[in-house]
Amino acid sequence: MSETVIKLESVRKTYGSGAATTNAVSDISMTVERGTWVAIMGPSGHGKSTLLQLIGGLDRPSAGRIMLDSAEIGSLDATKLAAVRGTKIGFVFQFFNLMPHLTALENVEIALWLGGAAKRKGRALELLEHFGLGDKAHHLPGMLSGGQQQRVAIARALANDPEILLMDEPTGNLDSAAEAELLSLLDGLHQAGKTLLMVTHNPAVAARAQRVLQVKDGRIVADASNGTA
């Protein structure tokens, strides 16, 4: 039997107050099984990124519970929440979010430092070499292509070997060749047992996932299996 790794119970995220209140996420309940690849689709501005940020502990719900394994992340203090994010969750963003003044190697080392890992340089270089970037370790992000920057971002996300990878439009700024390369990389991570949650507008990208959630007006309006292995 599959094991639930993420569980949301009537989660709501509200911004503003009174007549200006906006429900970015409205009473979402869902579970994600360990090792599943889930794509989240829907119109812009309808809560997809907010949902991902809530699951990752980058934002706190206004109501409801979010369980990550046995921990209710919405109730953790800042120190414990940072520890969970540093060891259990990796984040990948559309705009890479690399530190421009640090080399590729240093960008990955930062994540290892935040996670408290020893022998950071060796681990960071190993990850870059795994993603075909060993010869780019001392390059600044501005010296790398979009696809290379995204691979550095994924290496950074995987630095502390998290179980869960949360991705917000990871192919949004990539050309077709770099997108295909990234999706192949994600296939490998999924096959290795990682749990992947990915916001995307691209149906071809979503087709790689096992499960597709459709979000509209802050609610899940469809939840379908792709039938992929």
Side-chain angles (χ1 to χ4, degrees):
M1 179 180 294
S2 297
E3 179 183 1
T4 298
V5 65
I6 298 167
K7 184 175 183 179
L8 279 67
E9 299 176 346
S10 301
V11 170
R12 185 170 73 252
K13 181 62 183 181
T14 302
Y15 296 102
S17 60
T21 298
T22 299
N23 288 323
V25 169
S26 300
D27 299 316
I28 285 183
S29 296
M30 59 178 279
T31 60
V32 176
E33 307 305 316
R34 195 178 306 277
T36 304
W37 184 348
V38 180
I40 303 171
M41 301 190 72
S44 296
H46 282 247
K48 303 184 303 301
S49 294
T50 300
L51 177 60
L52 208 66
Q53 290 165 8
L54 290 168
I55 291 170
L58 296 177
D59 202 350
R60 293 181 182 269
S62 304
R65 298 202 311 162
I66 301 172
M67 305 296 296
L68 183 62
D69 285 330
S70 58
E72 183 184 349
I73 61 174
S75 66
L76 299 177
D77 63 32
T79 300
K80 291 180 179 178
L81 183 57
V84 167
R85 287 201 306 259
T87 57
K88 287 184 174 288
I89 302 170
F91 297 91
V92 180
F93 304 95
Q94 178 178 355
F95 295 102
F96 318 133
N97 287 11
L98 300 176
M99 294 186 178
H101 60 288
L102 299 182
T103 65
L105 183 66
E106 290 165 340
N107 266 282
V108 180
E109 286 184 290
I110 283 287
L112 288 159
W113 175 73
L114 291 172
K119 299 180 179 179
R120 294 188 285 269
K121 184 166 290 185
R123 168 66 174 162
L125 188 56
E126 175 188 327
L127 282 163
L128 291 175
E129 288 174 343
H130 178 74
F131 295 130
L133 294 167
D135 61 337
K136 308 293 185 185
H138 299 291
H139 285 47
L140 295 173
M143 303 167 65
L144 304 175
S145 70
Q148 289 169 339
Q149 289 186 63
Q150 195 60 295
R151 277 185 280 156
V152 173
I154 290 176
R156 179 185 59 188
L158 295 173
N160 296 300
D161 196 25
E163 293 183 61
I164 301 165
L165 200 59
L166 302 180
M167 299 170 284
D168 196 351
E169 293 284 359
T171 65
N173 280 322
L174 303 182
D175 61 28
S176 296
E179 177 183 288
E181 185 177 69
L182 177 60
L183 289 174
S184 177
L185 189 157
L186 295 178
D187 282 335
L189 293 174
H190 177 229
Q191 290 165 12
K194 299 295 183 187
T195 303
L196 309 180
L197 278 78
M198 175 179 64
V199 168
T200 182
H201 282 100
N202 189 334
V205 172
R208 303 291 277 266
Q210 292 172 291
R211 178 182 173 193
V212 180
L213 304 179
Q214 295 284 347
V215 174
K216 186 175 181 181
D217 296 325
R219 301 177 184 273
I220 294 175
V221 296
D223 183 349
S225 171
N226 267 340
T228 54

